[in-house]
Amino acid sequence: MQAKSIAPERISTGASPTRGASFLRVKWNAQGGLDLYPTQDSAVLTSTAWADGLLDNPAGHAISKGDTVKFLSYSELYR
């Protein structure tokens, strides 16, 4: 499965850079953007149920509002 690029205006909140690659739980918002779950710690069950998919974040990459990101939709992952 290939990730989809989201238009630059679509990320609504930022995320700090990580040491390794990470998959951040995100949800579509009413403006057509993506919202990050408030905490991205190891307690993933609640955030996974809340989310619509994963944001593929490369190691050492900070995400800012408006950035283009790779989004992996759960609906496509479960096919």
Side-chain angles (χ1 to χ4, degrees), residues 4 6 10-15 22-29 32-40 44 46-57 63 67 69-75 77:
K4 293 181 179 180
I6 305 302
R10 297 276 177 103
I11 188 79
S12 62
T13 58
S22 59
F23 292 93
L24 307 173
R25 277 85 65 199
V26 294
K27 182 176 189 143
W28 289 110
N29 61 35
L34 296 170
D35 290 332
L36 292 169
Y37 192 75
T39 58
Q40 296 288 326
V44 299
T46 300
S47 62
T48 299
W50 170 89
D52 293 322
L54 302 170
L55 186 155
D56 183 358
N57 189 38
I63 300 170
D67 283 356
V69 296
K70 290 185 179 180
F71 175 72
L72 304 166
S73 170
Y74 285 156
S75 63
L77 290 172

